[in-house]
């Protein structure tokens, strides 16, 4: 900033003679077609920049030059309609400001959204947009300038319903509007977003099962030294980052943007993961010895003694990646769509930044067993920890078996059956801790210690909590892991006239075409729910947000359509393609509100733990629909 002030002071005598108007010219292009009242129009603004000069972009960090910005002069007809778009700028280290900046040379193109009032009377109106900008060359910076641009906009009678009829072509052609504007264009802002998403993803339900699994796996490993423990924990973290990146890109370029969802919901993959967890559990129980896999690993690792046993860690990282894909798709899937659009390096940067933060807590979890093993041993407590971890892995395996059941729609592992199995596992764990039984390789426990009693009480409390769910009460966070309440009665509710959804009192159609026809008949907007059979975030929203009285009252004012994207068959494939091609994302859940004429009113991506945020989205959509 001091350099900027110095430059201004140095050129004060010349300011009267110098003008940016000769170095850049802005031209505003009126819409070719008349704009309906109650809609948003995109006004294109072109900048012609003189040779040797550069115009700073819209995404400049604080403390740097003045970014280009646009302001719609409000009146009874026009008002701001959102954030402007820009063409792809050039990134460059600007010595004038001692920082990385984005700028344009030669020319630039912007699109400014302008809202037309619903009450506007048809006719021609003058629109004024003010542009503030700053120009520099290799040695000189001109002071910031403000210029007014005028255009004539023809307004025709509208439907009185908000319509965003701008930006589709501009967004597709604009390299900075990745995934319909879902990602920021500034490099550092993008990295920060990716890292923030990685931190938020740690709060999603998919991550919870991997905590005991990670601890139990590294508990079984005999590292021999603290340094080796740190090294193996690092390998685990790097493995998570690498598998996220490699699998994400391979699936995207081989199977398209929906490849990640296909992998996460694959019955074969879910069966394999469940089998791995069951084998780990049996090994922790001392029932089986995984000697054969160890021989395979040793055969692979003979070539490099330093890598002994690391293949198993990489396989654990792979397992972690596969189990968490469903919850991480809202970000990973979005940047994979960007990769398909040609922004491969952009997507790579996003995935690596995301996975770096996402893997950090598991680096610490991988170290945790070595810390436990460094403590003084007290009887049989370390083996007891392994056995309890084994029970937790059995509980995790059930979730992936349930995924298979849901995808194939067998209707076997319904919600009551699922809860009953978990309840039994929790009760057996409590009985084990108080010494009711033991495994053959364990020593006889004379009396249960204080810690065993404490944890036994904890698991008995979990048993009682699960029993509440068995008799119909909601289970909060745990509901995200359970099959839908209506599963087994009608896994996907067909539209049945006046017959209500037996679980929620709502009618959910399974076809967008049917939804639009019903919306035209009832004169209602459409609430479109892109969901998945194996999507834990979807189950959480359905169990914790949808049943709220405020949400259910608002749902009554919509035609509800639920489209599953992760099943087998042409119907689900069409649903996947609809979400990817039309909305530029494969995130689950993903919510869209449409007018009865199929125009998009608004979108709401992903899970939220703030009910008011979702309620506001529904209320604003209804208001915009008129």
């Amino acid at each position: 900033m001091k350099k900027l002030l110095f430059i201004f002071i140095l050129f004060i005598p010349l300011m009267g003679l110098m003008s940016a108007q000769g170095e850049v010219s802005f031209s505003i292009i009126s819409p070719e077609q008349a704009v309906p009242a109650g809609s948003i129009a995109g006004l294109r603004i072109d900048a012609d920049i003189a040779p040797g000069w550069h115009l700073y972009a819209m995404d400049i960090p604080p403390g740097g030059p003045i970014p280009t910005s646009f302001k719609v002069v409000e009146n009874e007809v026009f008002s701001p309609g959102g954030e402007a778009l820009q063409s792809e700028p050039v990134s460059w280290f600007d010595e004038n400001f001692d920082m990385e900046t984005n700028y344009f040379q030669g020319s630039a193109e912007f699109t400014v959204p302008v809202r037309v009032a619903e009450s506007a009377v048809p006719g021609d109106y003058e629109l004024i947009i003010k542009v503030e900008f700053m120009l520099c060359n290799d040695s000189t910076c001109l002071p910031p300038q403000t210029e007014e641009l005028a255009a004539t906009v023809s307004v025709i009678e509208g439907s009185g319903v908000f319509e965003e009829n701008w930006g589709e072509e501009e967004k597709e052609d604009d390299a900075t509007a990745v995934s319909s504007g879902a990602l920021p264009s500034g490099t550092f802002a993008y990295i920060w977003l990716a890292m923030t998403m990685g931190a938020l993803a740690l709060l999603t339900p998919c991550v919870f099962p991997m905590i005991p699994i990670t601890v139990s796996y590294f508990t079984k490993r005999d590292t021999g030294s603290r340094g080796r423990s740190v090294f193996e924990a690092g390998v685990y973290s790097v493995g998570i980052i690498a598998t996220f990146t490699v699998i994400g890109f391979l699936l995207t370029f081989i199977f398209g943007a929906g490849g990640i969802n296909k992998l996460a919901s694959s019955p074969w993959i879910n069966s394999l993961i469940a089998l791995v967890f069951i084998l780990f559990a049996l090994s922790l129980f001392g029932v089986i010895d995984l000697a054969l896999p160890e021989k395979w690993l040793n055969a692979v690792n003979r070539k490099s003694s330093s890598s002994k046993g690391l293949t198993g860690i990489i396989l654990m990282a792979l397992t972690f990646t596969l189990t968490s894909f469903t919850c991480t798709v809202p970000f990973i899937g979005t940047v994979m769509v960007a990769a398909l659009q040609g922004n491969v390096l952009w997507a790579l940067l996003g995935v690596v930044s995301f996975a770096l933060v996402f893997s950090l807590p598991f680096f610490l979890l991988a170290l945790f067993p070595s810390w436990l093993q460094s403590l003084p041993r007290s009887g049989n407590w370390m083996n007891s920890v392994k056995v309890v971890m084994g029970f937790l892995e059995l509980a995790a395996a059930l979730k992936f078996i349930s995924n298979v059941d849901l995808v194939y729609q067998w209707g076997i592992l319904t919600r009551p059956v699922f809860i009953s199995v978990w309840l039994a596992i929790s009760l057996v764990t409590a009985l084990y801790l108080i010494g009711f039984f033991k495994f053959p390789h364990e020593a006889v426990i004379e009396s249960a210690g204080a810690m065993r009693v404490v944890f036994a009480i904890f698991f008995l409390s979990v048993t009682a909590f699960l029993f509440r769910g068995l008799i119909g009460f909601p289970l909060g966070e745990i509901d995200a892991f359970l099959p839908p309440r209506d599963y087994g009665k009608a896994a996907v509710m067909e539209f049945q006239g006046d017959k209500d959804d037996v679980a929620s009192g709502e009618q959910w159609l399974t076809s967008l075409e049917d939804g639009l026809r019903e919306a035209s008949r009832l004169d209602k907007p459409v609430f479109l729910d892109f969901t998945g059979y194996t999507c834990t975030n979807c189950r959480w929203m359905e169990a914790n947000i949808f049943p709220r009285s405020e949400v259910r009252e608002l749902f009554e004012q919509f035609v509800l359509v639920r489209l599953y994207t992760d099943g087998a068959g042409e119907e689900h494939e069409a649903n996947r393609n609809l979400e990817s091609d039309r909305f530029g994302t494969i995130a689950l859940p993903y919510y869209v509100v449409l007018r009865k004429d199929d125009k998009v009113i608004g979108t709401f991506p992903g899970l939220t733990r703030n009910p008011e945020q979702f309620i506001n989205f529904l209320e604003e959509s209804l208001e915009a629909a008129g």
Side-chain angles (χ1 to χ4, degrees):
M1 197 62 190
K2 292 181 179 179
K3 290 187 177 183
L4 177 60
L5 294 174
F6 172 76
I7 293 171
F8 283 170
I9 294 172
L10 181 65
F11 286 92
I12 283 177
L14 300 177
M15 283 184 181
L17 300 176
M18 298 174 64
S19 171
Q21 294 178 354
E23 315 301 346
V24 63
S25 62
F26 291 91
S27 57
I28 184 170
I29 300 175
S30 301
E32 295 181 359
Q33 298 178 347
V35 180
S39 68
I40 288 184
L43 273 293
R44 176 179 163 185
I45 297 177
D46 292 337
D48 186 14
I49 308 165
W53 292 87
H54 55 259
L55 171 72
Y56 288 102
M58 298 170 59
D59 49 342
I60 300 295
I66 303 299
T68 300
S69 61
F70 299 90
K71 180 180 180 181
V72 177
V73 178
E74 296 189 49
N75 53 34
E76 295 180 355
V77 177
F78 302 116
S79 61
E83 295 183 359
L85 301 177
Q86 63 181 3
S87 54
E88 180 70 28
V90 176
S91 295
W92 173 66
F93 185 84
D94 195 329
E95 294 182 354
N96 292 328
F97 302 93
D98 194 29
M99 65 185 300
E100 196 81 18
T101 60
N102 294 329
Y103 68 91
F104 301 101
Q105 281 185 321
S107 64
E109 182 180 313
F110 305 90
T111 303
V112 180
V114 179
R115 184 188 296 268
V116 181
E118 295 179 6
S119 59
V121 178
D124 293 338
Y125 297 89
E126 184 181 56
L127 168 67
I128 303 295
I129 297 179
K130 292 183 178 180
V131 53
E132 184 179 13
F133 61 95
M134 184 173 176
L135 292 167
C136 288
N137 60 21
D138 292 338
S139 59
T140 302
C141 285
L142 301 181
Q145 299 282 321
T146 299
E147 185 175 336
E148 288 191 355
L149 308 175
T152 299
V153 177
S154 297
V155 177
I156 60 175
E157 184 176 355
S159 62
V161 178
F162 167 74
E163 174 184 355
E164 186 174 0
N165 63 349
W166 74 281
E168 295 303 322
E169 295 181 359
E170 290 88 341
K171 291 176 183 178
E172 292 176 2
D173 296 337
D174 193 313
T176 67
V178 180
S179 191
S180 299
L183 302 176
S185 57
T187 302
F188 293 110
Y190 176 56
I191 293 175
W192 179 254
L193 173 66
M195 297 177 72
T196 301
M197 292 294 290
L200 292 175
L202 291 169
L203 303 177
T204 59
C206 299
V207 177
F208 299 154
M210 287 307 300
I211 295 174
I213 291 166
T214 297
V215 174
S216 62
Y217 176 79
F218 284 92
T219 298
K220 280 185 62 68
R221 296 185 64 82
D222 183 15
T223 57
S225 68
R226 177 59 60 85
R228 181 70 182 181
S229 298
V230 174
F231 173 72
E232 292 191 354
V235 170
Y236 183 49
S237 299
V238 172
I240 293 173
I241 297 171
T243 52
F244 256 113
T245 305
V246 173
I247 293 177
F249 275 85
L250 282 178
L251 290 174
T252 298
F253 289 114
I254 294 175
F255 300 107
I260 295 175
N261 271 343
K262 291 179 183 178
L263 180 69
S265 62
S266 166
W268 294 102
I269 293 296
N270 279 273
S271 299
L272 179 62
I273 295 173
L275 178 62
V276 169
F277 287 175
I278 292 172
L279 290 176
F280 275 138
L282 294 177
S283 176
L284 289 168
F285 293 155
V287 175
I288 64 171
D289 183 9
L290 298 178
L292 186 58
E294 284 293 331
K295 290 179 181 179
W296 293 345
L297 296 180
N298 289 338
V300 174
N301 294 324
R302 286 193 191 103
K303 296 181 180 180
S304 175
S305 59
S306 63
S307 66
K308 184 178 180 181
L310 297 187
T311 306
I313 299 177
I314 298 299
L315 290 176
M316 274 297 298
L318 175 62
T319 301
F320 175 89
T321 302
L322 296 179
T323 59
S324 59
F325 256 135
T326 300
C327 289
T328 57
V329 157
F331 182 83
I332 300 296
T334 299
V335 297
M336 287 300 102
V337 173
L340 288 178
Q341 295 172 349
N343 300 302
V344 177
L345 293 179
W346 187 264
L348 178 63
L349 179 63
V351 174
V352 172
S353 301
F354 174 94
L356 179 65
V357 175
F358 192 58
S359 66
L360 182 59
F362 288 88
F363 171 80
L364 300 176
L365 285 173
L367 283 180
F368 179 67
S370 70
W371 297 339
L372 283 180
Q373 291 171 351
S374 67
L375 296 174
R377 296 190 177 273
S378 177
N380 203 36
W381 76 274
M382 180 61 73
N383 186 74
S384 298
V385 170
K386 294 180 181 179
V387 171
V388 171
M389 292 297 180
F391 285 121
L392 294 176
E393 290 196 19
L394 284 181
L398 185 67
K399 167 59 182 171
F400 295 97
I401 297 173
S402 174
N403 287 346
V404 178
D405 181 78
L406 285 166
V407 171
Y408 283 130
Q409 293 288 283
W410 290 333
I412 300 173
L413 274 177
T414 60
R415 178 186 170 91
V417 174
F418 192 108
I419 294 176
S420 297
V421 176
W422 266 13
L423 187 151
I425 292 174
S426 179
L427 180 59
V428 170
T429 304
L431 294 176
Y432 165 79
L433 286 170
I434 62 177
F436 190 81
F437 68 94
K438 70 179 186 67
F439 288 92
H441 66 283
E442 292 184 291
V444 177
I445 301 174
E446 299 295 338
S447 62
M451 289 303 297
R452 293 177 71 100
V453 171
V454 168
F455 280 102
I457 293 174
F458 169 77
F459 280 101
L460 285 174
S461 300
V462 172
T463 302
F465 180 72
L466 290 172
F467 182 77
R468 284 173 48 84
L470 193 60
I471 60 178
F473 286 92
L475 294 178
E477 294 290 334
I478 294 179
D479 274 318
F481 299 97
L482 306 179
R485 285 179 175 271
D486 59 355
Y487 181 60
K489 300 174 182 177
V492 180
M493 294 301 298
E494 299 288 344
F495 183 67
Q496 299 174 331
D498 294 331
K499 184 176 180 180
D500 287 342
D501 181 322
V502 293
S504 62
E506 298 154 3
Q507 299 170 347
W508 288 91
L509 306 184
T510 59
S511 164
L512 178 57
E513 290 75 15
D514 291 344
L516 291 172
R517 281 195 294 268
E518 193 68 9
S520 296
R521 185 178 73 85
L522 299 176
D523 194 23
K524 291 182 178 181
V526 174
F527 177 83
L528 183 58
D529 175 10
F530 286 101
T531 187
Y533 295 117
T534 63
C535 171
T536 52
N537 289 353
C538 305
R539 298 293 88 74
W540 192 95
M541 290 290 289
E542 292 163 11
N544 296 281
I545 301 296
F546 286 13
R548 299 178 69 91
S549 59
E550 308 97 311
V551 174
R552 293 181 62 177
E553 289 175 3
L554 290 169
F555 273 173
E556 292 177 356
Q557 303 177 58
F558 293 91
V559 172
L560 304 177
V561 177
R562 178 168 288 158
L563 301 182
Y564 285 85
T565 67
D566 62 350
E570 295 181 359
E571 176 186 350
H572 300 94
E573 183 71 27
N575 293 341
R576 279 193 296 269
N577 293 338
L578 172 65
E579 184 184 15
S580 175
D581 297 344
R582 183 171 182 183
F583 301 104
T585 183
I586 55 173
L588 295 178
Y590 190 78
Y591 307 115
V592 181
V593 174
L594 302 170
R595 281 176 31 171
K596 61 183 180 181
D597 59 357
D598 200 24
K599 297 293 184 180
V600 177
I601 294 176
T603 61
F604 190 94
L607 174 148
T608 179
R609 295 179 182 273
N610 183 358
E612 292 302 321
Q613 192 176 29
F614 188 74
I615 291 171
N616 289 340
F617 163 69
L618 295 178
E619 290 176 340
E620 291 172 2
S621 298
L622 286 171
E623 182 179 353

